[in-house]
Amino acid sequence: LSAPLFQFAPASGAGMGPVCACAEVAAPNGAATTTVRASSAVCTKGNNYVGIVPGDLVTCSSNQPRVMPGGDGSGPLGILVETSKVNTALQSQTLNSATWQKIQSGASTVPVVTADVTLAPDGTMTADLVTLPATSTSQYSALYQAALSAGVSSCSFYAMGNSDAGVLADAGVTVDSCMWNGSAYVCTTCVVPSVTTWRRCVAEKITTAGTFDFLLGHLSSQLAAPVARSAESVFIWGIQCEVSPWASSYMATVAGSTTRAKDDITLPFTSPASPAWSIAATWVQPNQFAAGATQLNVGLNDAGSNDFNQLSVSTTGFANSNFRTAATSHSQTVTLPPVDGGTTVRIAARMVGA
């Protein structure tokens, strides 16, 4: 029998510290991580998409790791590692800004925005109340911003129902969001089930030719199957549009776009001089990989001559993909097959001693 020489982020959570503490963590062997990220980034304490309460979103400064469960918030702790992304939706928390045009076609009124009414997912009093009029199947009323991302993109926003009976109280509010590329609308509907917790509404993997405009509100006439909407009010916060097949962690914007830098995590450990040994990592991929997308760069570095002999990547439902490397290589870029969200991915490297 043998035991691992090194272990990180075990199911027990040993060494990981508190959720979203923004502090380097220690592996069971005592070695601490080193995080390199040239910007701040947002960590989520629980579920990424539903049941979000004020304070669940925490901003970690540059070069600080984001320890979180991810997904539905019930899994073991790990460190969130993301590629660099840009939020091109300006004034993401300031919907009363002139940047967000208020438009309508045939409706009784444009959306009415009341600024800074309730606590947002990050615990600040920055969430706006948006009151939407009733719309028939030939009408719409929406917030609008032009010329956002281009390519395979995603847009997202946080929404919560309004509990004030005097202002169109509603749990079960329906909010439409559409991307318009100058010739066609691609729309998504989000039902907001709660007046006490936030939901992150997402529209993912939308392909447009050139930049698109983003609309949010009651977009009855623009839906593929037009549906009339009743007058409703809803809290909205944190609008994000990015060139990405999925919605990444939130990036707040003001007058200009915001870039979140990529995460590089180093896990130091002492390897044996001999005999040959291996290292592996397993995770559940939260979102879809497109076919042929380069997703991973795996690197092992040392002061000697120990190099990759073979790198193996396997996913649930796929055969192993093996990559042999040059005799002097310390890293390998891996191109994965198409992978759906929720798929278990495992990567392993076999090493040969000096």
Side-chain angles (χ1 to χ4, degrees), residues 83-125:
T83 57
S84 179
K85 296 295 179 185
V86 180
N87 183 6
T88 59
L90 308 184
Q91 301 291 352
S92 63
Q93 299 169 195
T94 316
L95 307 186
N96 62 330
S97 165
T99 300
W100 288 102
Q101 299 178 49
K102 287 73 179 176
I103 62 174
Q104 58 85 22
S105 176
S108 60
T109 182
V110 298
V112 176
V113 177
T114 307
D116 303 338
V117 174
T118 195
L119 291 173
D122 68 347
T124 62
M125 188 66 73

Side-chain angles (χ1 to χ4, degrees), residues 3 21 29 32 68 79 85 135 139 161 182 203 215 240 245 253 266-267 285 288 292 301 308 314 323 330:
N29 68 356
M68 52 188 278
I79 292 182
K85 296 295 179 185
T135 52
Q139 301 172 334
L215 300 89
Q240 180 161 304
T253 64
T266 300
L267 307 173
Q285 174 58 26
Q288 186 182 64
N301 203 0
F308 281 137
S314 62
F323 305 85
H330 290 281

Side-chain angles (χ1 to χ4, degrees), residues 42-312:
V42 169
C43 180
T44 302
K45 290 182 177 179
N47 194 306
N48 281 336
Y49 297 104
V50 296
I52 300 165
V53 299
D56 270 0
L57 269 60
V58 176
T59 297
C60 295
S61 298
S62 58
N63 301 328
Q64 291 183 336
R66 292 174 286 170
V67 175
M68 52 188 278
D72 66 2
S74 65
L77 297 180
I79 292 182
L80 178 61
V81 177
E82 295 183 294
T83 57
S84 179
K85 296 295 179 185
V86 180
N87 183 6
T88 59
L90 308 184
Q91 301 291 352
S92 63
Q93 299 169 195
T94 316
L95 307 186
N96 62 330
S97 165
T99 300
W100 288 102
Q101 299 178 49
K102 287 73 179 176
I103 62 174
Q104 58 85 22
S105 176
S108 60
T109 182
V110 298
V112 176
V113 177
T114 307
D116 303 338
V117 174
T118 195
L119 291 173
D122 68 347
T124 62
M125 188 66 73
T126 54
D128 297 345
L129 179 68
V130 180
T131 301
L132 300 167
T135 52
S136 70
T137 56
S138 62
Q139 301 172 334
Y140 67 79
S141 178
L143 305 175
Y144 169 82
Q145 192 171 144
L148 301 181
S149 306
V152 180
S153 301
S154 295
C155 287
S156 59
F157 58 93
Y158 294 85
M160 182 173 69
N162 172 36
S163 61
D164 185 348
V167 195
L168 301 177
D170 207 335
V173 178
T174 301
V175 183
D176 305 311
S177 61
C178 295
M179 299 180 186
W180 164 252
N181 65 3
S183 60
Y185 285 92
V186 179
C187 299
T188 302
T189 295
C190 182
V191 176
V192 184
S194 175
V195 297
T196 58
T197 62
W198 290 87
R199 177 177 183 176
R200 192 180 194 189
C201 302
V202 297
E204 298 180 317
K205 300 184 288 293
I206 307 299
T207 301
T208 61
T211 59
F212 65 83
D213 303 342
F214 181 69
L215 300 89
L216 181 142
H218 280 170
L219 292 152
S220 298
S221 60
Q222 309 309 319
L223 302 176
V227 178
R229 304 290 189 210
S230 300
E232 298 172 308
S233 63
V234 60
F235 295 110
I236 301 289
W237 182 85
I239 300 176
Q240 180 161 304
C241 290
E242 57 194 308
V243 179
S244 173
W246 57 82
S248 67
S249 62
Y250 174 58
M251 299 167 275
T253 64
V254 187
S257 61
T258 294
T259 299
R260 184 193 61 248
K262 66 183 180 71
D263 297 275
D264 286 322
I265 310 295
T266 300
L267 307 173
F269 73 104
T270 301
S271 65
S274 63
W277 56 277
S278 64
I279 186 170
T282 303
W283 72 93
V284 177
Q285 174 58 26
N287 304 95
Q288 186 182 64
F289 282 161
T294 299
Q295 299 293 339
L296 302 170
N297 184 277
V298 180
L300 293 173
N301 203 0
D302 59 33
S305 59
N306 292 336
D307 301 300
F308 281 137
N309 177 264
Q310 191 172 62
L311 181 65
S312 174

